[in-house]
Amino acid sequence: MTDAPDRASTVKRRTVIQGVGLVGGTVAAGGLLAACGGGGDGGGSDTATSAPPQSDAITPSAEATTDGGAPATGTELGSTSDVPVGGGRVYESEKVLVAQPTEGEFKAFSSVCTHQGCAVSMIEGTTMTCPCHGSEFSTDGGKVLQGPATKALPGREVRVEGDAIFLV
Ligand code: FES
């Protein structure tokens, strides 16, 4: 008698089980990321949030530029009309938030939370909120209004060409 075939079979089964475990881990991580990034709406599409406009003056760190004569450059995000005044829109695939605190004033930030990397997906007035642990950031430079995040959201540069917004 020999047990060689059984041992080989056991090795193959272990290999298969380890492979399944790896795939399962990947799916679980993907599910976790989706849970962090979707903002509860199922994800996959850009989302807009709106709130009553605020009258506070804001000093931008990542403000849109407009140049009537130069050709548009960068990735087109969408129309300026897609970004509500006093709110903003999340462009999930580009991982960018565009806020319009006052009419015609566009500011953009990375939507990747500086705490643990969830998608900051809510904008109300001048406050951008991460749904994972509740960090809040200001559209005034992306600075932290409420932790646990301790670092500001990095600004992104956008350009308005006609009624289109481009990520530069
Ligand atoms: Fe945004 Fe924790 S990942 S608050």
Side-chain angles (χ1 to χ4, degrees), residues 18-89:
Q18 288 171 345
V20 169
L22 180 61
V23 170
T26 302
V27 170
L32 179 60
L33 289 175
C36 288
D41 67 349
S45 63
D46 299 330
T47 56
T49 58
S50 63
Q54 304 240 339
S55 61
D56 297 339
I58 296 168
T59 305
S61 69
E63 202 167 342
T65 59
T66 57
D67 185 352
T73 57
T75 303
E76 184 171 352
L77 295 174
S79 172
T80 54
S81 63
D82 295 337
V83 182
V85 176
R89 175 171 287 272

Side-chain angles (χ1 to χ4, degrees), residues 54-129:
Q54 304 240 339
S55 61
D56 297 339
I58 296 168
T59 305
S61 69
E63 202 167 342
T65 59
T66 57
D67 185 352
T73 57
T75 303
E76 184 171 352
L77 295 174
S79 172
T80 54
S81 63
D82 295 337
V83 182
V85 176
R89 175 171 287 272
V90 179
Y91 297 92
E92 292 177 8
S93 59
E94 291 82 7
K95 297 182 179 172
V96 65
L97 275 151
V98 177
Q100 188 177 191
T102 60
E103 188 166 351
E105 179 187 23
F106 295 92
K107 299 176 180 184
F109 301 90
S110 166
S111 65
V112 179
C113 184
T114 57
H115 178 229
Q116 291 183 355
C118 287
V120 178
S121 59
M122 296 180 284
I123 306 173
E124 287 188 25
T126 57
T127 302
M128 304 177 284
T129 304

